[in-house]
Amino acid sequence: MRKHIKNNVSWVGFIDWELEKFHGDDYSTMNGSSQNAYLIEEEKTVLIDTVWTPHRSDFVENLESEIDLNRIDYIIVNHGECDHSGSLASLMKRIPHTPIYCTAAAVKSLEGQYGKSGWNFNIVKTGDELDIGNGKKLRFIEMKMLHWPDSMAVYMTGDNILFSNDAFGQHYAVEELFDDLADSAVLDGEALKYYANIIAPYANVLRKKLDELKKMQLDIDIIAPSHGAVWRQNPMRIIEKYEQWANDYKENQIVVAYDTMYEGTAKIARKIVEEINEQSPETVVKLYNISKSDKNDVMTEVFKSKSLIVGSPTISNSIISGVAGWLEYLKQLKLKNKRGAAFGSYGWSGESVNIIQDKLREAGFDVIDENVKSLWNPTDEDFNQAKVLVSSILA
Ligand code: FEO
């Protein structure tokens, strides 16, 4: 079932209301998601991207109910990840000679995943154009490392639509398709979560790309990403948001994240939260037990924060495994310009605080020395040390 975007441009993707996890189990999709594919029917008929492999039969069937597949003149593959290319092999079985336009890296990713099938690849670079008739062209813009080496966007002249693929997307199932019809709180939240968990590691690349896009002086009426809502009400709003987020974004917020075995570390965590509220009531503070909270949602809050305070008990001369895995994920996100601190309880050897401090430094945090190491149960002295830690991280 197609959805009309503008003039001769339609959405022909798949809305995945039931999706709970993405990237395997690595990314939670609390509001579902969509894989957006687009059909352009000018003098030339163009398909931009496909949908994820599990939906390939539905995709080809639905597309065939809309148009004769043999009418497709060009296929644009903006990105080889299987949530967008997963139906390509099924489609190419039906129309094997149709030219595919993509980056050189996308040829590698497509052939790597689907084999060398002799598809008619046409490699494009930034600035290359494809005439689609009626005075309109598709202009290709490489989006290398946003978020794969093969990523690309396409700008359609005349209708002024930027098909941005993963950039500016959200994992959000929105049947109404457009930003102005979506639930704005969910839309903004999912856009930020998507940025924090998927795009943030590439902030350096993004800053340069946003500058490059500005210099291109494209008139953009619509941004049509490959997931979630299409931005048509004020498409520049999400570009401005990306500019803010890519420039060491932080709010007056602190996250306290911990795991605990017998409540010692939890008691310190709660004391730290009380102290932040006491010493700086205007600072938003959020407390998460890492093992009981959604990893991606907590990271979104860390992304928004100016500081992160992490706690773990010492176990087997190390930190508890839930915190260890969480800190490894934190490191992947390459967040910048944030402060960090550590706390934890112990019974015998007490390595956890030093290990957390090291891991926070590895993740790029500016770590303060003040910490809380609590032997057995937290004492008044430990709680006083929590006060000192908070004073230092607020300073
Ligand atoms: Fe939505 Fe990188 O695929």
Side-chain angles (χ1 to χ4, degrees), residues 354-374:
N354 291 350
I355 291 172
I356 292 168
Q357 287 176 329
D358 286 347
K359 287 187 178 291
L360 284 173
R361 282 190 199 98
E362 281 175 32
F365 283 68
D366 177 14
V367 179
I368 62 168
D369 291 333
E370 288 75 11
N371 62 76
V372 184
K373 285 181 189 170
S374 171

Side-chain angles (χ1 to χ4, degrees), residues 22-23 79 81-84 147-148 151 165-166 171 194 198 226-227:
F22 189 72
H23 282 164
H79 175 31
E81 193 165 3
C82 59
D83 50 330
H84 309 298
H147 67 129
W148 271 22
S151 297
N165 197 259
D166 280 335
H171 284 304
Y194 188 98
I198 295 177
S226 56
H227 298 288

Side-chain angles (χ1 to χ4, degrees), residues 10-14 35-39 47-51 59 84 225-226:
S10 307
W11 173 97
V12 288
F14 182 82
Q35 300 117 46
N36 297 338
Y38 300 96
L39 187 67
L47 176 69
I48 299 181
D49 294 323
T50 69
V51 306
F59 174 74
H84 309 298
S226 56

